[in-house]
Each structure stands twice: as structure tokens, then as C-alpha cells.
Amino acid sequence: MSDHDVSTWRQRFLYTAPADDRSRMRAVANNLILHLHPTKVPAPALRWTYTWGLGGISATLAVLLIITGVVLMFRYDASVERAYTSIQYLETEVAFGSLVRALHHWSANLLVVTAFLHLVRVFLTGGFKVGRAANWVVGLILLLVVVAFNFTGYLLPWDQLAFWAITVGTSLLSYVPLAGTAVANFLLGGPEVGQAALRNFYAIHVAVLPAILILLMSYHFWKVRKDGGISQPPSAPGERVERLTTIPHLVQIEFAAAAVLIMGLFLWAVFVPAPLEALADPGHPPNPAKAAWYFLGLQELLLHMHPLAALLLPGLVLAAFVAIPYLDRQEDNVGTYFRSAVGRQIALLGALYAVGLIPLLVIIDEYWLDFPALLPGLPTLISNGLIPLLLTLGGLAALYLLFRSTNKANKSEALVGLFVFVVVGLVLLTLIGIFFRGANMALVLPF
Ligand code: HEM
């Protein structure tokens, strides 16, 4: 073996760590960072207003949730007799118990918001284009996993809110034809929410979902790197994009964002404890019995349509979201918010149409429109299901065509308008469900 071979062998396999402790720690930290990031990143990718740090914030929240979740497991007892008292004990007797629970609760709710906003950012900048379709789909599954985490965690305190939100939520499943009831029975371990359901939800929450989340997140990050980093506007021929080293340029932004987020969450958790209502009472549903807040848009739809149609509509929207990379293949507008100046105008119009139309439709349907009474000869599945569903889908198609013809938008820009309409619509339905639904789910004013 020549001297050269020996030194290469040494470099590869006998890495000699720096002598002093600080340099050694720095070497390990840098190594970890450079497993996640490339060594250099394009300068425009560092702009805070491009990503708003939403992917990183979501990742930080996921880590915080795992840490606080493991701590909570030391005290939580997943039995119908002891779950509620174990939470009460944690809140009042265990040092920092209330703080850890509040951190877990608020991080979980915030993660639904930040992962959703991250999806919106990725869509609006065309981050699903140029070879990133697979990561877009992985992201969608991640969002579903985040919602499943929240949903299964909701039951664990075994208070009135938990019991009835899960009862309402799982009862929706029974409207899914063929497999719905079987899936609901499998999840609940029987026909209703009881000990088997609590045990199943706990197992899914602390074992199944974390494993899926960690695997998917790892793949998601690896894929961002593999796809050449985050999306960028295509550079003009001959243009050279400045590239900066990840350490310190990117890492200092990430650390600052994580520090601000964690400090903010701590402060919030200190002053706003996680809610805990009275012990679950299967005999006395609260009025109104609402689902968890992120399902209130869906619950609102159920007030207007046959349950099958109300489930089919979000199912179709989800399928359309999966298909987005295949529906919008124009690659020269990647990396620009709303695609173009026309796209920006269409997005604004989409938002305005949603704000004007959706509350109006909710009010009209609540007080005046009654399809089953108008069409008494038809089964409600058609009069109150198929007809409103087709009208909604027809309305969305009409909106797309309107953007294409009146506003001279190309396919990509018209899709932005439709996406903004659907997203603002979902947010509005959720807000109506949270603030404007009172006893018997009737429309009320919150003030
Ligand atoms: C737990 C949830 C999630 C985490 C922790 C996460 C994390 C990240 C991170 C750290 C990045 C790098 C850029 C950035 O910060 O924006 C990223 C990029 C990306 N994410 Fe996510 N993500 C999540 C959910 C989603 C969802 C719901 C979608 C969309 C359906 C999605 C699709 C993508 C795509 C396509 C990219 C590449 C974007 C680009 O190149 O501009 N992710 N994600």
C-alpha cells in the first residue's frame, strides 16, 4: 500500500476528530446539519418571505410534540376509569405537568395550521413543479397524518369535549359506503366510543402515527435535497445565481426562527393551559356537539348536504390536490408567488368571490333553500346529496372557465384562482363552524 493509499484510507475510515471539546462538538453538529442540508444554497432560497419558514416551523413543532408526548406518557393512563384523573393529577400535582401538557396541546393545534399554510405556500410558489410532484404527494400524506395525530389525541383526556367530538367524528365514517362502518368499528374496537376505542386511539397515537411521521418526514427532507433544494425561479441564460454556505447563512436563520417559536410557545403555554372539561358522560351530549375545530368545515357541509355528498366533496377536493402537479405542468413560472401579475389578480378575485359567496350560500341554505321540500318525489340522497354536490362542482368548473375566458388567465393562473377560492372557502366554513354555530347547530352571532 502506498503512502497515498494509506492517507486516503485514514481520511475515509479513521476520521480524527478535532482535539478540543468545543471544536469536536462543532464538528459533530456541522456534520448533522450537512446531512440535512447541502453545503451551499442559492441566495434567493434564503429569503424569509419565500418560505416563511413554515416547513422548518412544522418540523420544529413535530420534534417538540414527540418530546412532550414522551414525557406525558410517564403519567397518562389509557383506561376509561383513570384517564381523566391521570390528566387532573398531571395538571395539579406533577411538577411542570400542566406546562408540558399545554405545550403538547398548543403545538399540536399549531402544527395543523402551519402544515396547512406550508401547503398553501408550496402551491402558490409552484413548489410542486420541476420534479417535485412526489414530494407534494408525500406532503399531503403528512398533513393527513398530522390531522390523524390530532384526532386520536383528542380522545385521550376522556372529558366531555373528547368523548363527544370523537363520537361525532367517527359517526361520520358510517356514511362511507361499503367499508365505512367496518372501519369505524375497527377503530373504535366496537360500535361505540368506550374502553376499546381509548386503547386503540392511544396505541395509534403513540406508536403507529409517530413511526409513520418520522419515516415520512425523513423522506420528505431527503427528497427536498434530492430535488435540488427548494424551488427557485428559473435563471435567465448566462445568469449566475449567488450560492451561500449553509453554515452559517441558512442555519442561523433556522435557529433564530426555532428559538422565537419555542419561546413564544412557552410563554403561551404558561399563560393559557390546555382545556379540560368535565369527565366524559356518554348519557349527556353537550349542545351543540361539535367535532374538533379542523373538522368543523366538514361538519358545516353536513348541515347543508346529505352526509355521503358532504364526505364526497372533500374527498374529491383531496383527489384534485393530489392531481395538482399533473394539472399544472407549466414550469417557467415556478418560484414566483401566484405565478404572474395576472395570477395575483385572479387569486385576489378567487378570495373575494369566496368571501362574498360562501357566507351568502350558508345563510340562503339555512333559512330559505330546502331541496327535499322542493323535490318531494326524490330520495334525499339525490335531492339533498347528488344535486347540491353537482351544483357545487358545476360552480367550481364555471369559476375556472370564468377566469380563463374573462380574465384571460392561462391554465396555471386559473388554477391559482380556483385553489384560493377553495382554501378561503374551507377557512370560512371552519370559522362559521367555530364561531357562528350555537345550540342545535343553529346559526348564531358570537357576540
Ligand atoms: C409535518 C408536516 C411537514 C413538514 C415538517 C414539512 C417540512 C418541509 C421543509 C422543512 C421543507 C423545506 C422548505 C420549507 O421550509 O418550506 C419542505 C418543502 C416542501 N414541502 Fe413540506 N413539510 C410538511 C408538510 C407538507 C405538506 C402538507 C405539503 C403539501 C402537500 C408539503 C410539500 C412540500 C414540497 C413540495 C416541498 C418542496 C417545496 C419547494 O421546493 O418550494 N409539505 N417541507
Side-chain angles (χ1 to χ4, degrees):
M1 214 187 269
S2 70
D3 281 358
H4 172 74
D5 287 342
V6 170
S7 79
T8 314
W9 187 82
R10 267 182 201 283
Q11 275 169 11
R12 292 239 172 95
F13 298 105
L14 286 181
Y15 169 71
T16 39
D20 67 294
D21 278 354
R22 272 188 67 180
S23 321
R24 200 175 304 138
M25 266 165 62
R26 193 168 332 132
V28 171
N30 288 354
N31 217 313
L32 186 72
I33 289 162
L34 294 178
H35 268 82
L36 282 172
H37 293 300
T39 42
K40 283 189 170 185
V41 279
L46 293 180
R47 264 179 309 141
W48 177 253
T49 50
Y50 186 66
T51 63
W52 300 99
L54 288 162
I57 289 175
S58 305
T60 311
L61 287 171
V63 172
L64 205 64
L65 278 165
I66 292 177
I67 297 172
T68 48
V70 169
V71 176
L72 289 175
M73 281 175 74
F74 282 93
R75 285 291 172 174
Y76 178 73
D77 196 340
S79 83
V80 166
E81 289 82 30
R82 289 183 297 273
Y84 184 74
T85 41
S86 72
I87 297 281
Q88 274 182 324
Y89 188 74
L90 190 90
E91 285 282 346
T92 51
E93 306 294 328
V94 179
F96 301 112
S98 173
L99 178 66
V100 174
R101 178 165 176 256
L103 272 174
H104 194 75
H105 176 88
W106 295 119
S107 308
N109 283 285
L110 190 58
L111 179 56
V112 177
V113 178
T114 59
F116 181 71
L117 290 178
H118 171 62
L119 175 153
V120 173
R121 172 318 261 170
V122 171
F123 175 82
L124 292 180
T125 57
F128 55 84
K129 301 181 179 199
V130 202
R132 295 180 175 83
N135 221 12
W136 167 261
V137 177
V138 172
L140 279 177
I141 305 175
L142 265 173
L143 185 63
L144 294 182
V145 170
V146 166
V147 171
F149 250 116
N150 265 270
F151 186 63
T152 47
Y154 218 92
L155 184 64
L156 304 184
W158 203 254
D159 61 351
Q160 275 288 75
L161 197 65
F163 184 88
W164 289 102
I166 301 303
T167 302
V168 172
T170 46
S171 67
L172 294 183
L173 272 177
S174 58
Y175 290 106
V176 177
L178 305 176
T181 311
V183 173
N185 281 350
F186 171 76
L187 279 179
L188 298 182
E192 54 206 29
V193 180
Q195 176 59 59
L198 184 59
R199 186 199 53 218
N200 286 0
F201 273 46
Y202 185 59
I204 296 172
H205 190 76
V206 304
V208 180
L209 291 174
I212 299 178
L213 183 80
I214 291 169
L215 280 175
L216 281 181
M217 264 176 46
S218 312
Y219 181 77
H220 195 59
F221 297 156
W222 174 79
K223 198 73 177 67
V224 171
R225 259 196 89 155
K226 206 70 191 150
D227 293 339
I230 62 166
S231 53
Q232 293 298 309
S235 39
E239 184 194 354
R240 260 184 64 88
V241 178
E242 190 193 359
R243 293 178 72 82
L244 299 171
T245 49
T246 294
I247 305 168
H249 297 96
L250 172 59
V251 171
Q252 71 193 12
I253 300 177
E254 288 181 334
F255 272 60
V260 171
L261 172 74
I262 292 173
M263 273 188 316
L265 261 173
F266 258 86
L267 274 178
W268 181 265
V270 165
F271 292 107
V272 190
L276 184 66
E277 294 199 356
L279 175 68
D281 181 354
H284 291 96
N287 189 1
K290 290 191 184 180
W293 67 264
Y294 38 84
F295 283 147
L296 283 181
L298 178 62
Q299 204 178 0
E300 181 61 34
L301 279 183
L302 277 161
L303 297 171
H304 304 286
M305 290 181 191
H306 184 281
L308 194 54
L311 286 176
L312 209 58
L313 185 58
L316 290 172
V317 169
L318 190 65
F321 272 33
V322 173
I324 278 174
Y326 312 97
L327 298 175
D328 179 359
R329 291 165 170 276
Q330 191 184 335
E331 295 200 337
D332 59 358
N333 56 12
V334 63
T336 306
Y337 264 94
F338 307 105
R339 317 280 186 268
S340 62
V342 174
R344 199 168 309 134
Q345 210 183 352
I346 305 281
L348 185 64
L349 279 177
L352 288 176
Y353 289 154
V355 171
L357 262 177
I358 286 175
L360 190 68
L361 287 175
V362 167
I363 292 173
I364 290 178
D365 190 53
E366 176 90 359
Y367 297 114
W368 295 293
L369 193 64
D370 187 356
F371 278 121
L374 281 175
L375 306 161
L378 293 176
T380 51
L381 178 60
I382 297 187
S383 61
N384 207 29
L386 195 62
I387 291 178
L389 179 67
L390 289 179
L391 284 176
T392 311
L393 294 176
L396 292 175
L399 197 62
Y400 177 81
L401 294 175
L402 183 80
F403 291 143
R404 291 281 279 145
S405 58
T406 318
N407 305 94
K408 302 278 174 278
N410 64 27
K411 280 187 194 162
S412 190
E413 293 155 347
L415 211 59
V416 170
L418 203 57
F419 175 88
V420 171
F421 180 86
V422 169
V423 166
V424 175
L426 174 64
V427 172
L428 285 171
L429 288 179
T430 308
L431 291 176
I432 291 172
I434 297 175
F435 297 110
F436 294 89
R437 289 285 172 190
N440 305 319
M441 293 303 274
L443 273 185
V444 289
L445 287 176
F447 33 80

